[in-house]
């Protein structure tokens, strides 16, 4: 079962804020989470949800219960995300695409764009329906 936590600008209440979900390869959490959150909070007053243990397994019930109300997935894309077995790529990214939740892929290493498009499809800044996320 997934255990989620959240981060907000200035540790404010998450009530009424747009919901963003940060996911990545488990080894990418430490180097990227705080930096990505900091960049988002410079311009957006949202709540960023994340899995406290990115190696957790997710059930279908967890996905629906926890992530169906998220407006945007943010994913730092690394070679590990693309090529190593991990739930961020195999389960969470797929959930976002299947539910037409926009995905913001953040390329963290040069030369991954083509491999990302080949392995994940050309989602750009939006989910499967091509509709851009306006508020975050």
């Amino acid at each position: 079962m997934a255990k989620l936590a959240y981060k907000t600008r200035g540790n404010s209440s998450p009530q009424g804020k747009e919901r963003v979900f940060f996911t990545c390869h488990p080894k990418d959490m430490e180097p990227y989470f705080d930096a990505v959150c900091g960049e988002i909070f410079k311009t957006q007053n949202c709540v960023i949800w994340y899995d406290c243990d990115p190696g957790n397994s997710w059930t279908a019930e967890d996905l629906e219960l926890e992530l169906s109300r998220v407006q945007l997935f943010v994913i730092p894309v690394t070679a590990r995300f693309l090529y190593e077995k991990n739930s961020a790529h195999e389960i969470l990214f797929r959930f976002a695409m299947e539910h037409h939740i926009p995905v913001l892929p953040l390329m963290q290493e040069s030369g991954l764009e083509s491999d990302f498009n080949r392995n994940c499809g050309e989602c750009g800044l939006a989910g499967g329906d091509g509709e851009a996320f306006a508020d975050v």
Side-chain angles (χ1 to χ4, degrees), residues 52-70:
C52 296
D53 179 7
N56 266 340
S57 61
W58 286 75
T59 65
E61 294 82 24
D62 287 340
L63 290 168
E64 284 297 327
L65 178 68
E66 302 292 351
L67 301 179
S68 62
R69 294 175 290 151
V70 168

Side-chain angles (χ1 to χ4, degrees), residues 8-98:
T8 58
R9 183 194 296 171
N11 295 319
S12 60
S13 168
Q15 292 298 108
K17 292 182 168 66
E18 298 290 337
R19 296 170 173 253
V20 174
F21 184 71
F22 178 96
T23 190
C24 61
H25 185 284
K27 292 181 182 174
D28 293 333
M29 187 70 171
E30 185 178 336
Y32 298 115
F33 179 69
D34 286 331
V36 169
C37 288
E39 287 299 312
I40 292 171
F41 291 146
K42 283 181 183 177
T43 60
Q44 302 299 319
N45 189 16
C46 59
V47 58
I48 301 175
W49 290 92
Y50 62 97
D51 189 344
C52 296
D53 179 7
N56 266 340
S57 61
W58 286 75
T59 65
E61 294 82 24
D62 287 340
L63 290 168
E64 284 297 327
L65 178 68
E66 302 292 351
L67 301 179
S68 62
R69 294 175 290 151
V70 168
Q71 284 93 16
L72 176 70
F73 273 57
V74 174
I75 305 172
V77 177
T78 63
R80 285 187 290 250
F81 172 80
L82 290 175
Y83 304 119
E84 294 179 11
K85 185 174 176 72
N86 66 90
S87 62
H89 183 197
E90 297 167 0
I91 297 170
L92 301 172
F93 174 80
R94 298 289 172 218
F95 177 86
M97 291 291 93
E98 290 168 5

Side-chain angles (χ1 to χ4, degrees), residues 73 75 89 91-105 116 120-130:
F73 273 57
I75 305 172
H89 183 197
I91 297 170
L92 301 172
F93 174 80
R94 298 289 172 218
F95 177 86
M97 291 291 93
E98 290 168 5
H99 289 80
H100 307 288
I101 300 170
V103 173
L104 177 60
F116 176 82
C120 301
E122 296 192 28
C123 71
L125 298 179
D129 61 1

